[in-house]
Amino acid sequence: MNIAVIGTGYVGLVSGVCFAETGVNVICVDNNKEKIEKLNLGEVPIYEPLLDTYLKRNFHEGRIQFTMDLKQAVDKSDIIFLALPTPESEDGSADLSYVLKMAETLSGIIASYKVVVNKSTVPVGTAAMTQKIFDENCKVKVDVVSNPEFLREGFAVEDFLKPDRIVIGSSSERAIELMTRLYKPFVRQGNPIFVMDEKSAELTKYAANSFLALKISFMNEMANLAEKVGADIDSIRRGIGTDNRIGSAFLYAGLGYGGSCFPKDVKALQHISSINQFDFKILNAVIDVNALQKEKFIRTILTNKEVKGKRVALWGLSFKPNTDDIREAPALYVIDKLIEAGASVTAYDPEGMANVKRKIGDKIQYAENMYDALDEADVLVIVTEWPVFRTPDFDKMKSMMHGRTIFDGRNVFDHADMKSSGFDYFSIGRQVIKAER
Ligand SMILES: NC(=O)c1ccc[n+]([C@@H]2O[C@H](COP(=O)([O-])OP(=O)(O)OC[C@H]3O[C@@H](n4cnc5c(N)ncnc54)[C@H](O)[C@@H]3O)[C@@H](O)[C@H]2O)c1
């Protein structure tokens, strides 16, 4: 089978590489010249665990190619995946311009039957809109399929190779047969392929992300209550997470969700609801809670520590561990607020520093490693729970830092351990620890 993947970002590149891994011939297309040049040297332009190994193998064995030549890729392919951006518009809706423009361009290029698959996260009705573009402008038959992607950055290759489920939204038998054949190697262990109508497939993706965001906001509210009544959110999390009706994932309190998906997808679902005259009350609360959680974290820092003219060390920039993605990263908000309050910030992140430097430049200093960031720091603020931060040398930290205060936005340290650490320790949904001096 031959496929093309248009848009070679976090989703497109991982999809392309994983399809190639099953023996499919893949041509990845992107309009970013630098990206394609890098990929043609066998280099991965993003940080994603395992991707490098899988990409190199399939690239050297000739199963995956990278090009800017859309027509050549389309001509050679049976199935064309669109993995294009759908960023948030000003009114909260998903910006469909990349997807719809591409459908128009493809209409003028496609010369024989193709299946065009939308892998981007798109509002209800996008498959129908895209199908209309092909029906009205393309000389040959094109079937549009909605195939939302559920991979998690940081585990993207694993998730793609062993998905919990595949969702295919289509009303074309021919397209469903091709898609099912393509995905067969990924569902050999009995994980299901759900075939449904296009609208349900589109809404399934928003339902998944919004439900996960809801779990996060719920736990953040519970953490805020726990702080007030003197309870411990970690104990509560363990106490409910073992109940298999609830499940243990996404129960971690913190300073809110970020990233390229949750914020925009939850807002897009809110927009879909509002244009359909539906007041999705829980969803509105999820968004409000998430914004307040970040504000509350900053308030905790600023009311407990004078940061004006002080040095703040910041651990973690990426929106979550195991990725270099900084889109909508809470760290960017925290940095802005700290600088606004007069602090100077030195940050360390294992993978996210290059992207932050590109975005905000010399607004902050960048440290070589997590301990260098602490040099003469008055305060440490932890924003991303990278595993490397979990078991630091507290004596070394004290010897490097000027101050003795940690604000932990991700509860990376065991609360009990912190009692003897010698630090004042502020975390989320747990009691404040004051160091004995
Ligand atoms: N990142 C995730 O974890 C994730 C997970 C599931 C779904 N999604 C959805 O998948 C879609 C893509 O997300 P992403 O994170 O991969 O985005 P991305 O920004 O990493 O990748 C998009 C790619 O498309 C390319 N592109 C833009 N216009 C193009 C054009 N005209 N021709 C060719 N290439 C073009 C860009 O250069 C970029 O490489 C979004 O709708 C997103 O919501 C993302």
Side-chain angles (χ1 to χ4, degrees), residues 81 117-120 145-150 163-170 176 179-180 183 187 191-206 208:
F81 280 87
V117 184
N118 202 348
K119 239 197 188 317
S120 301
V145 169
S146 167
N147 170 221
E149 180 50 56
F150 299 97
D164 291 334
R165 75 321 207 168
I166 306 285
V167 169
I168 296 174
S170 174
I176 292 167
M179 291 294 286
T180 310
Y183 273 114
V187 293
N191 33 348
I193 295 181
F194 294 117
V195 177
M196 56 183 80
D197 66 88
E198 296 85 340
K199 285 183 184 172
S200 302
E202 288 163 343
L203 206 47
T204 297
K205 173 65 190 176
Y206 284 112

mmCIF file of all heavy atoms in Angstrom, residues 81 117-120 145-150 163-170 176 179-180 183 187 191-206 208:
data_model
loop_
_atom_site.group_PDB
_atom_site.id
_atom_site.type_symbol
_atom_site.label_atom_id
_atom_site.label_comp_id
_atom_site.label_asym_id
_atom_site.label_seq_id
_atom_site.Cartn_x
_atom_site.Cartn_y
_atom_site.Cartn_z
ATOM 1 N N PHE A 81 -3.245 11.233 4.002
ATOM 2 C CA PHE A 81 -3.566 11.711 5.353
ATOM 3 C C PHE A 81 -3.298 13.202 5.459
ATOM 4 O O PHE A 81 -2.259 13.678 4.996
ATOM 5 C CB PHE A 81 -2.690 10.989 6.392
ATOM 6 C CG PHE A 81 -3.187 9.621 6.731
ATOM 7 C CD1 PHE A 81 -2.801 8.523 5.967
ATOM 8 C CD2 PHE A 81 -4.043 9.418 7.796
ATOM 9 C CE1 PHE A 81 -3.263 7.257 6.273
ATOM 10 C CE2 PHE A 81 -4.514 8.162 8.114
ATOM 11 C CZ PHE A 81 -4.126 7.074 7.343
ATOM 12 N N VAL A 117 -7.864 11.330 4.247
ATOM 13 C CA VAL A 117 -8.157 11.072 5.654
ATOM 14 C C VAL A 117 -7.800 12.284 6.506
ATOM 15 O O VAL A 117 -6.667 12.762 6.460
ATOM 16 C CB VAL A 117 -7.314 9.875 6.168
ATOM 17 C CG1 VAL A 117 -7.690 9.549 7.609
ATOM 18 C CG2 VAL A 117 -7.485 8.680 5.264
ATOM 19 N N ASN A 118 -8.760 12.734 7.274
ATOM 20 C CA ASN A 118 -8.464 13.846 8.164
ATOM 21 C C ASN A 118 -8.019 13.336 9.512
ATOM 22 O O ASN A 118 -8.795 12.755 10.253
ATOM 23 C CB ASN A 118 -9.689 14.731 8.316
ATOM 24 C CG ASN A 118 -9.249 16.100 8.764
ATOM 25 O OD1 ASN A 118 -8.094 16.285 9.149
ATOM 26 N ND2 ASN A 118 -10.134 17.042 8.726
ATOM 27 N N LYS A 119 -6.734 13.532 9.823
ATOM 28 C CA LYS A 119 -6.186 13.114 11.114
ATOM 29 C C LYS A 119 -6.105 14.298 12.079
ATOM 30 O O LYS A 119 -5.928 14.113 13.285
ATOM 31 C CB LYS A 119 -4.788 12.522 10.911
ATOM 32 C CG LYS A 119 -4.793 11.123 11.420
ATOM 33 C CD LYS A 119 -3.521 10.478 11.694
ATOM 34 C CE LYS A 119 -3.752 9.032 12.015
ATOM 35 N NZ LYS A 119 -4.891 8.747 12.906
ATOM 36 N N SER A 120 -6.221 15.493 11.539
ATOM 37 C CA SER A 120 -6.217 16.669 12.407
ATOM 38 C C SER A 120 -7.476 16.641 13.266
ATOM 39 O O SER A 120 -8.471 16.002 12.921
ATOM 40 C CB SER A 120 -6.237 17.952 11.568
ATOM 41 O OG SER A 120 -5.119 17.997 10.719
ATOM 42 N N VAL A 145 -12.458 10.654 4.850
ATOM 43 C CA VAL A 145 -12.619 9.856 6.071
ATOM 44 C C VAL A 145 -12.158 10.687 7.264
ATOM 45 O O VAL A 145 -11.187 11.428 7.166
ATOM 46 C CB VAL A 145 -11.756 8.564 5.975
ATOM 47 C CG1 VAL A 145 -11.684 7.845 7.313
ATOM 48 C CG2 VAL A 145 -12.293 7.640 4.895
ATOM 49 N N SER A 146 -12.873 10.535 8.367
ATOM 50 C CA SER A 146 -12.400 11.172 9.600
ATOM 51 C C SER A 146 -11.735 10.096 10.453
ATOM 52 O O SER A 146 -12.338 9.073 10.763
ATOM 53 C CB SER A 146 -13.606 11.767 10.336
ATOM 54 O OG SER A 146 -13.205 12.119 11.642
ATOM 55 N N ASN A 147 -10.478 10.333 10.789
ATOM 56 C CA ASN A 147 -9.715 9.328 11.563
ATOM 57 C C ASN A 147 -8.909 10.064 12.640
ATOM 58 O O ASN A 147 -7.713 10.256 12.529
ATOM 59 C CB ASN A 147 -8.792 8.553 10.592
ATOM 60 C CG ASN A 147 -7.787 7.658 11.263
ATOM 61 O OD1 ASN A 147 -6.631 7.599 10.834
ATOM 62 N ND2 ASN A 147 -8.181 6.954 12.284
ATOM 63 N N PRO A 148 -9.596 10.502 13.704
ATOM 64 C CA PRO A 148 -8.908 11.290 14.716
ATOM 65 C C PRO A 148 -7.760 10.520 15.365
ATOM 66 O O PRO A 148 -7.804 9.293 15.433
ATOM 67 C CB PRO A 148 -10.006 11.586 15.741
ATOM 68 C CG PRO A 148 -11.079 10.590 15.500
ATOM 69 C CD PRO A 148 -11.011 10.245 14.045
ATOM 70 N N GLU A 149 -6.771 11.267 15.812
ATOM 71 C CA GLU A 149 -5.584 10.657 16.399
ATOM 72 C C GLU A 149 -5.578 10.875 17.910
ATOM 73 O O GLU A 149 -5.864 11.968 18.372
ATOM 74 C CB GLU A 149 -4.329 11.289 15.758
ATOM 75 C CG GLU A 149 -3.038 10.743 16.284
ATOM 76 C CD GLU A 149 -3.011 9.209 16.272
ATOM 77 O OE1 GLU A 149 -3.222 8.604 15.216
ATOM 78 O OE2 GLU A 149 -2.786 8.619 17.350
ATOM 79 N N PHE A 150 -5.245 9.806 18.644
ATOM 80 C CA PHE A 150 -5.289 9.883 20.108
ATOM 81 C C PHE A 150 -3.909 9.773 20.756
ATOM 82 O O PHE A 150 -3.814 9.621 21.968
ATOM 83 C CB PHE A 150 -6.208 8.780 20.656
ATOM 84 C CG PHE A 150 -7.624 8.896 20.172
ATOM 85 C CD1 PHE A 150 -8.078 8.162 19.085
ATOM 86 C CD2 PHE A 150 -8.510 9.774 20.781
ATOM 87 C CE1 PHE A 150 -9.381 8.280 18.620
ATOM 88 C CE2 PHE A 150 -9.820 9.899 20.331
ATOM 89 C CZ PHE A 150 -10.258 9.151 19.248
ATOM 90 N N PRO A 163 -2.428 1.254 19.715
ATOM 91 C CA PRO A 163 -3.503 2.166 20.115
ATOM 92 C C PRO A 163 -4.565 1.460 20.950
ATOM 93 O O PRO A 163 -4.793 0.257 20.764
ATOM 94 C CB PRO A 163 -4.095 2.608 18.767
ATOM 95 C CG PRO A 163 -3.789 1.478 17.836
ATOM 96 C CD PRO A 163 -2.513 0.856 18.295
ATOM 97 N N ASP A 164 -5.198 2.188 21.862
ATOM 98 C CA ASP A 164 -6.306 1.610 22.624
ATOM 99 C C ASP A 164 -7.450 1.283 21.675
ATOM 100 O O ASP A 164 -8.175 0.324 21.863
ATOM 101 C CB ASP A 164 -6.819 2.601 23.681
ATOM 102 C CG ASP A 164 -5.803 2.802 24.785
ATOM 103 O OD1 ASP A 164 -4.991 1.886 25.007
ATOM 104 O OD2 ASP A 164 -5.812 3.880 25.414
ATOM 105 N N ARG A 165 -7.608 2.117 20.685
ATOM 106 C CA ARG A 165 -8.653 1.922 19.672
ATOM 107 C C ARG A 165 -8.319 2.796 18.462
ATOM 108 O O ARG A 165 -7.557 3.752 18.562
ATOM 109 C CB ARG A 165 -10.045 2.256 20.189
ATOM 110 C CG ARG A 165 -10.477 3.702 20.381
ATOM 111 C CD ARG A 165 -9.519 4.661 20.904
ATOM 112 N NE ARG A 165 -10.088 5.794 21.615
ATOM 113 C CZ ARG A 165 -9.348 6.612 22.332
ATOM 114 N NH1 ARG A 165 -8.024 6.459 22.426
ATOM 115 N NH2 ARG A 165 -9.889 7.636 22.955
ATOM 116 N N ILE A 166 -8.923 2.397 17.325
ATOM 117 C CA ILE A 166 -8.838 3.212 16.114
ATOM 118 C C ILE A 166 -10.269 3.659 15.824
ATOM 119 O O ILE A 166 -11.191 2.844 15.889
ATOM 120 C CB ILE A 166 -8.352 2.380 14.903
ATOM 121 C CG1 ILE A 166 -7.033 1.658 15.184
ATOM 122 C CG2 ILE A 166 -8.299 3.214 13.635
ATOM 123 C CD1 ILE A 166 -5.831 2.536 15.184
ATOM 124 N N VAL A 167 -10.430 4.926 15.496
ATOM 125 C CA VAL A 167 -11.766 5.420 15.141
ATOM 126 C C VAL A 167 -11.750 5.806 13.658
ATOM 127 O O VAL A 167 -10.908 6.591 13.219
ATOM 128 C CB VAL A 167 -12.159 6.627 16.020
ATOM 129 C CG1 VAL A 167 -13.408 7.305 15.475
ATOM 130 C CG2 VAL A 167 -12.383 6.190 17.471
ATOM 131 N N ILE A 168 -12.674 5.204 12.921
ATOM 132 C CA ILE A 168 -12.794 5.528 11.494
ATOM 133 C C ILE A 168 -14.203 6.044 11.242
ATOM 134 O O ILE A 168 -15.186 5.313 11.450
ATOM 135 C CB ILE A 168 -12.522 4.276 10.618
ATOM 136 C CG1 ILE A 168 -11.054 3.821 10.807
ATOM 137 C CG2 ILE A 168 -12.809 4.565 9.141
ATOM 138 C CD1 ILE A 168 -10.733 2.518 10.103
ATOM 139 N N GLY A 169 -14.301 7.280 10.802
ATOM 140 C CA GLY A 169 -15.594 7.857 10.481
ATOM 141 C C GLY A 169 -15.751 7.924 8.977
ATOM 142 O O GLY A 169 -15.023 8.674 8.313
ATOM 143 N N SER A 170 -16.652 7.110 8.452
ATOM 144 C CA SER A 170 -16.832 7.102 6.989
ATOM 145 C C SER A 170 -18.149 6.446 6.625
ATOM 146 O O SER A 170 -18.664 5.596 7.352
ATOM 147 C CB SER A 170 -15.673 6.335 6.332
ATOM 148 O OG SER A 170 -15.904 6.201 4.952
ATOM 149 N N ILE A 176 -13.655 2.425 3.889
ATOM 150 C CA ILE A 176 -13.573 1.685 5.158
ATOM 151 C C ILE A 176 -12.706 0.433 4.972
ATOM 152 O O ILE A 176 -11.865 0.106 5.811
ATOM 153 C CB ILE A 176 -14.993 1.314 5.670
ATOM 154 C CG1 ILE A 176 -15.743 2.589 6.094
ATOM 155 C CG2 ILE A 176 -14.920 0.324 6.836
ATOM 156 C CD1 ILE A 176 -17.243 2.414 6.322
ATOM 157 N N MET A 179 -9.011 1.513 4.787
ATOM 158 C CA MET A 179 -8.543 1.981 6.098
ATOM 159 C C MET A 179 -8.368 0.814 7.066
ATOM 160 O O MET A 179 -7.409 0.756 7.837
ATOM 161 C CB MET A 179 -9.537 2.989 6.698
ATOM 162 C CG MET A 179 -9.591 4.312 5.983
ATOM 163 S SD MET A 179 -8.059 5.226 6.146
ATOM 164 C CE MET A 179 -8.150 5.768 7.848
ATOM 165 N N THR A 180 -9.306 -0.125 7.027
ATOM 166 C CA THR A 180 -9.235 -1.279 7.932
ATOM 167 C C THR A 180 -8.007 -2.115 7.594
ATOM 168 O O THR A 180 -7.310 -2.600 8.477
ATOM 169 C CB THR A 180 -10.535 -2.113 7.806
ATOM 170 O OG1 THR A 180 -11.645 -1.225 7.939
ATOM 171 C CG2 THR A 180 -10.631 -3.174 8.875
ATOM 172 N N TYR A 183 -4.853 -0.389 8.886
ATOM 173 C CA TYR A 183 -4.686 -0.408 10.355
ATOM 174 C C TYR A 183 -4.592 -1.817 10.948
ATOM 175 O O TYR A 183 -4.326 -1.960 12.142
ATOM 176 C CB TYR A 183 -5.834 0.362 11.029
ATOM 177 C CG TYR A 183 -5.552 1.843 11.161
ATOM 178 C CD1 TYR A 183 -6.299 2.791 10.475
ATOM 179 C CD2 TYR A 183 -4.515 2.300 11.984
ATOM 180 C CE1 TYR A 183 -6.034 4.156 10.595
ATOM 181 C CE2 TYR A 183 -4.245 3.661 12.115
ATOM 182 C CZ TYR A 183 -5.010 4.578 11.421
ATOM 183 O OH TYR A 183 -4.743 5.917 11.553
ATOM 184 N N VAL A 187 -3.861 -3.641 15.261
ATOM 185 C CA VAL A 187 -4.941 -4.132 16.142
ATOM 186 C C VAL A 187 -4.894 -5.655 16.275
ATOM 187 O O VAL A 187 -5.912 -6.302 16.505
ATOM 188 C CB VAL A 187 -6.341 -3.667 15.641
ATOM 189 C CG1 VAL A 187 -6.478 -2.169 15.784
ATOM 190 C CG2 VAL A 187 -6.605 -4.090 14.196
ATOM 191 N N ASN A 191 -7.335 -5.006 20.109
ATOM 192 C CA ASN A 191 -7.820 -3.637 20.325
ATOM 193 C C ASN A 191 -8.724 -3.256 19.150
ATOM 194 O O ASN A 191 -8.427 -3.586 18.011
ATOM 195 C CB ASN A 191 -6.659 -2.648 20.516
ATOM 196 C CG ASN A 191 -5.423 -3.004 19.711
ATOM 197 O OD1 ASN A 191 -5.335 -4.107 19.176
ATOM 198 N ND2 ASN A 191 -4.502 -2.118 19.576
ATOM 199 N N PRO A 192 -9.821 -2.582 19.430
ATOM 200 C CA PRO A 192 -10.850 -2.463 18.396
ATOM 201 C C PRO A 192 -10.633 -1.347 17.365
ATOM 202 O O PRO A 192 -9.971 -0.346 17.634
ATOM 203 C CB PRO A 192 -12.101 -2.134 19.225
ATOM 204 C CG PRO A 192 -11.586 -1.473 20.446
ATOM 205 C CD PRO A 192 -10.224 -2.039 20.728
ATOM 206 N N ILE A 193 -11.225 -1.577 16.194
ATOM 207 C CA ILE A 193 -11.419 -0.505 15.217
ATOM 208 C C ILE A 193 -12.907 -0.174 15.272
ATOM 209 O O ILE A 193 -13.745 -1.045 15.038
ATOM 210 C CB ILE A 193 -11.043 -0.941 13.789
ATOM 211 C CG1 ILE A 193 -9.546 -1.256 13.683
ATOM 212 C CG2 ILE A 193 -11.434 0.141 12.780
ATOM 213 C CD1 ILE A 193 -9.072 -1.671 12.300
ATOM 214 N N PHE A 194 -13.235 1.052 15.613
ATOM 215 C CA PHE A 194 -14.636 1.466 15.642
ATOM 216 C C PHE A 194 -14.954 2.230 14.367
ATOM 217 O O PHE A 194 -14.369 3.291 14.115
ATOM 218 C CB PHE A 194 -14.914 2.369 16.851
ATOM 219 C CG PHE A 194 -14.780 1.661 18.173
ATOM 220 C CD1 PHE A 194 -13.814 2.048 19.091
ATOM 221 C CD2 PHE A 194 -15.612 0.588 18.500
ATOM 222 C CE1 PHE A 194 -13.684 1.394 20.307
ATOM 223 C CE2 PHE A 194 -15.488 -0.073 19.715
ATOM 224 C CZ PHE A 194 -14.525 0.336 20.627
ATOM 225 N N VAL A 195 -15.860 1.677 13.575
ATOM 226 C CA VAL A 195 -16.293 2.390 12.371
ATOM 227 C C VAL A 195 -17.599 3.097 12.719
ATOM 228 O O VAL A 195 -18.510 2.499 13.299
ATOM 229 C CB VAL A 195 -16.496 1.412 11.193
ATOM 230 C CG1 VAL A 195 -17.018 2.152 9.968
ATOM 231 C CG2 VAL A 195 -15.180 0.704 10.864
ATOM 232 N N MET A 196 -17.659 4.364 12.408
ATOM 233 C CA MET A 196 -18.853 5.151 12.767
ATOM 234 C C MET A 196 -19.065 6.244 11.714
ATOM 235 O O MET A 196 -18.270 6.354 10.776
ATOM 236 C CB MET A 196 -18.681 5.762 14.161
ATOM 237 C CG MET A 196 -17.445 6.610 14.334
ATOM 238 S SD MET A 196 -17.236 7.240 16.029
ATOM 239 C CE MET A 196 -16.562 5.863 16.907
ATOM 240 N N ASP A 197 -20.103 7.029 11.892
ATOM 241 C CA ASP A 197 -20.305 8.130 10.941
ATOM 242 C C ASP A 197 -19.262 9.220 11.215
ATOM 243 O O ASP A 197 -18.676 9.281 12.290
ATOM 244 C CB ASP A 197 -21.735 8.667 11.053
ATOM 245 C CG ASP A 197 -21.971 9.312 12.390
ATOM 246 O OD1 ASP A 197 -21.711 10.515 12.528
ATOM 247 O OD2 ASP A 197 -22.368 8.592 13.339
ATOM 248 N N GLU A 198 -19.079 10.085 10.218
ATOM 249 C CA GLU A 198 -18.017 11.086 10.288
ATOM 250 C C GLU A 198 -18.194 12.041 11.467
ATOM 251 O O GLU A 198 -17.239 12.387 12.162
ATOM 252 C CB GLU A 198 -17.966 11.911 8.989
ATOM 253 C CG GLU A 198 -17.599 11.122 7.741
ATOM 254 C CD GLU A 198 -18.782 10.442 7.074
ATOM 255 O OE1 GLU A 198 -19.835 10.238 7.716
ATOM 256 O OE2 GLU A 198 -18.646 10.095 5.878
ATOM 257 N N LYS A 199 -19.437 12.476 11.694
ATOM 258 C CA LYS A 199 -19.680 13.453 12.765
ATOM 259 C C LYS A 199 -19.332 12.866 14.124
ATOM 260 O O LYS A 199 -18.738 13.534 14.976
ATOM 261 C CB LYS A 199 -21.153 13.893 12.770
ATOM 262 C CG LYS A 199 -21.490 14.846 11.659
ATOM 263 C CD LYS A 199 -22.940 15.277 11.791
ATOM 264 C CE LYS A 199 -23.320 16.171 10.623
ATOM 265 N NZ LYS A 199 -24.737 16.466 10.610
ATOM 266 N N SER A 200 -19.726 11.606 14.337
ATOM 267 C CA SER A 200 -19.432 10.972 15.630
ATOM 268 C C SER A 200 -17.925 10.829 15.815
ATOM 269 O O SER A 200 -17.410 11.016 16.928
ATOM 270 C CB SER A 200 -20.111 9.610 15.723
ATOM 271 O OG SER A 200 -21.492 9.757 15.555
ATOM 272 N N ALA A 201 -17.220 10.497 14.727
ATOM 273 C CA ALA A 201 -15.757 10.360 14.826
ATOM 274 C C ALA A 201 -15.138 11.704 15.209
ATOM 275 O O ALA A 201 -14.265 11.781 16.085
ATOM 276 C CB ALA A 201 -15.190 9.868 13.494
ATOM 277 N N GLU A 202 -15.614 12.762 14.558
ATOM 278 C CA GLU A 202 -15.063 14.094 14.853
ATOM 279 C C GLU A 202 -15.318 14.478 16.314
ATOM 280 O O GLU A 202 -14.433 14.981 17.006
ATOM 281 C CB GLU A 202 -15.681 15.125 13.901
ATOM 282 C CG GLU A 202 -15.155 14.981 12.472
ATOM 283 C CD GLU A 202 -16.004 15.683 11.407
ATOM 284 O OE1 GLU A 202 -17.183 16.025 11.663
ATOM 285 O OE2 GLU A 202 -15.496 15.875 10.298
ATOM 286 N N LEU A 203 -16.526 14.175 16.775
ATOM 287 C CA LEU A 203 -16.879 14.564 18.147
ATOM 288 C C LEU A 203 -16.202 13.653 19.189
ATOM 289 O O LEU A 203 -15.929 14.096 20.312
ATOM 290 C CB LEU A 203 -18.409 14.534 18.313
ATOM 291 C CG LEU A 203 -19.020 15.449 19.373
ATOM 292 C CD1 LEU A 203 -18.473 16.859 19.319
ATOM 293 C CD2 LEU A 203 -20.539 15.474 19.244
ATOM 294 N N THR A 204 -15.904 12.419 18.793
ATOM 295 C CA THR A 204 -15.225 11.487 19.725
ATOM 296 C C THR A 204 -13.898 12.070 20.196
ATOM 297 O O THR A 204 -13.536 11.994 21.370
ATOM 298 C CB THR A 204 -14.989 10.120 19.037
ATOM 299 O OG1 THR A 204 -16.261 9.561 18.726
ATOM 300 C CG2 THR A 204 -14.235 9.161 19.943
ATOM 301 N N LYS A 205 -13.161 12.659 19.264
ATOM 302 C CA LYS A 205 -11.846 13.227 19.632
ATOM 303 C C LYS A 205 -12.003 14.355 20.652
ATOM 304 O O LYS A 205 -11.281 14.424 21.656
ATOM 305 C CB LYS A 205 -11.139 13.730 18.361
ATOM 306 C CG LYS A 205 -9.850 14.485 18.611
ATOM 307 C CD LYS A 205 -8.768 13.604 19.217
ATOM 308 C CE LYS A 205 -7.590 14.452 19.677
ATOM 309 N NZ LYS A 205 -6.563 13.685 20.358
ATOM 310 N N TYR A 206 -12.958 15.242 20.422
ATOM 311 C CA TYR A 206 -13.175 16.346 21.373
ATOM 312 C C TYR A 206 -13.681 15.813 22.707
ATOM 313 O O TYR A 206 -13.336 16.339 23.769
ATOM 314 C CB TYR A 206 -14.164 17.366 20.802
ATOM 315 C CG TYR A 206 -13.551 18.250 19.745
ATOM 316 C CD1 TYR A 206 -13.945 18.171 18.416
ATOM 317 C CD2 TYR A 206 -12.558 19.175 20.081
ATOM 318 C CE1 TYR A 206 -13.368 18.970 17.441
ATOM 319 C CE2 TYR A 206 -11.979 19.979 19.117
ATOM 320 C CZ TYR A 206 -12.391 19.871 17.799
ATOM 321 O OH TYR A 206 -11.814 20.667 16.842
ATOM 322 N N ALA A 208 -12.954 12.935 24.039
ATOM 323 C CA ALA A 208 -11.821 12.321 24.759
ATOM 324 C C ALA A 208 -10.977 13.406 25.438
ATOM 325 O O ALA A 208 -10.725 13.342 26.647
ATOM 326 C CB ALA A 208 -10.973 11.501 23.786
#
